[in-house]
């Protein structure tokens, strides 16, 4: 069982951000089945951000009473209690969104996004680096990759 640590949330947030930003620029071109994944990833990203904001507020509220006179601590303690309640709400939302992400048929989605890429892969390898006339494309020429070629 993984613990819900700050580092675990950060790693999850980065991985989810990559998913979301990988879909975003191509969303209009992708099959409709990608829409729910993008929406869930976006909501998950926002919920992780809300949780982080709440954690920052709680950290501030936990340390502020140390420098606050005893008579002025009651509002901070109420804020701390509300912040803990809000954090639990954010965690519940994250759990529900994580369940939705886990429920996605990733292999089915991959086939929907790139059905022809898998079918064309064997043919692409046999002519790798060649045009239809058998000549290497300009980007594959040795002089393009060797800085000593073409120098006087």
């Amino acid at each position: 069982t993984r613990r819900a640590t700050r580092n675990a949330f950060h790693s999850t947030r980065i991985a989810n951000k990559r998913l979301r930003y990988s879909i975003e620029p191509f969303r209009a071109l992708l099959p409709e089945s990608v829409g729910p994944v993008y929406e869930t990833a976006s909501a998950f990203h926002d919920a992780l951000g809300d949780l982080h904001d709440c954690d920052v507020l709680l950290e501030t509220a936990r340390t502020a009473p140390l420098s606050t006179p005893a008579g002025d601590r009651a509002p901070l303690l109420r804020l701390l209690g509300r912040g803990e309640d809000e954090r639990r709400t954010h965690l519940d939302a994250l759990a529900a969104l994580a369940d939705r992400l886990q429920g996605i048929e990733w292999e089915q989605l991959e086939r929907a996004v790139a059905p022809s890429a898998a079918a064309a892969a064997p043919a692409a390898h046999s002519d790798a680096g060649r045009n239809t006339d058998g000549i290497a494309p300009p980007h594959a020429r040795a002089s393009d990759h060797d800085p000593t070629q073409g120098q006087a």
Side-chain angles (χ1 to χ4, degrees), residues 5-149:
T5 65
R6 180 177 279 190
N7 286 339
F9 280 121
H10 179 70
S11 296
T12 301
R13 186 170 183 261
I14 296 302
N16 186 73
K17 183 190 273 190
R18 286 183 183 138
L19 171 64
R20 179 183 178 188
Y21 293 160
S22 294
I23 295 172
E24 196 167 274
F26 307 105
R27 187 167 178 215
L29 304 172
L30 294 170
E32 286 183 28
S33 58
V34 176
V37 175
Y38 178 79
E39 296 301 327
T40 302
S42 294
F44 193 76
H45 183 82
D46 293 344
L48 281 166
D50 292 343
L51 179 68
H52 178 264
D53 293 348
C54 190
D55 285 343
V56 169
L57 174 73
L58 286 170
E59 183 65 27
T60 302
R62 285 184 188 116
T63 57
L66 300 175
S67 60
T68 304
D72 296 332
R73 290 184 189 156
L76 287 172
L77 295 175
R78 283 193 300 276
L79 178 64
L80 191 57
R82 278 192 231 134
E84 291 290 347
D85 291 342
E86 187 174 330
R87 186 174 197 283
R88 279 189 289 280
T89 299
H90 291 309
L91 284 172
D92 289 344
L94 277 171
L97 290 165
D99 288 345
R100 282 176 45 194
L101 285 172
Q102 283 185 330
I104 293 171
E105 296 290 335
W106 291 102
E107 290 175 4
Q108 181 181 357
L109 183 64
E110 184 178 2
R111 285 190 301 275
V113 170
S116 61
H125 293 304
S126 63
D127 293 327
R130 301 274 175 209
N131 289 329
T132 55
D133 59 3
I135 300 171
H139 68 276
R141 292 186 187 131
S143 62
D144 290 344
H145 299 290
D146 185 353
T148 62
Q149 291 286 333

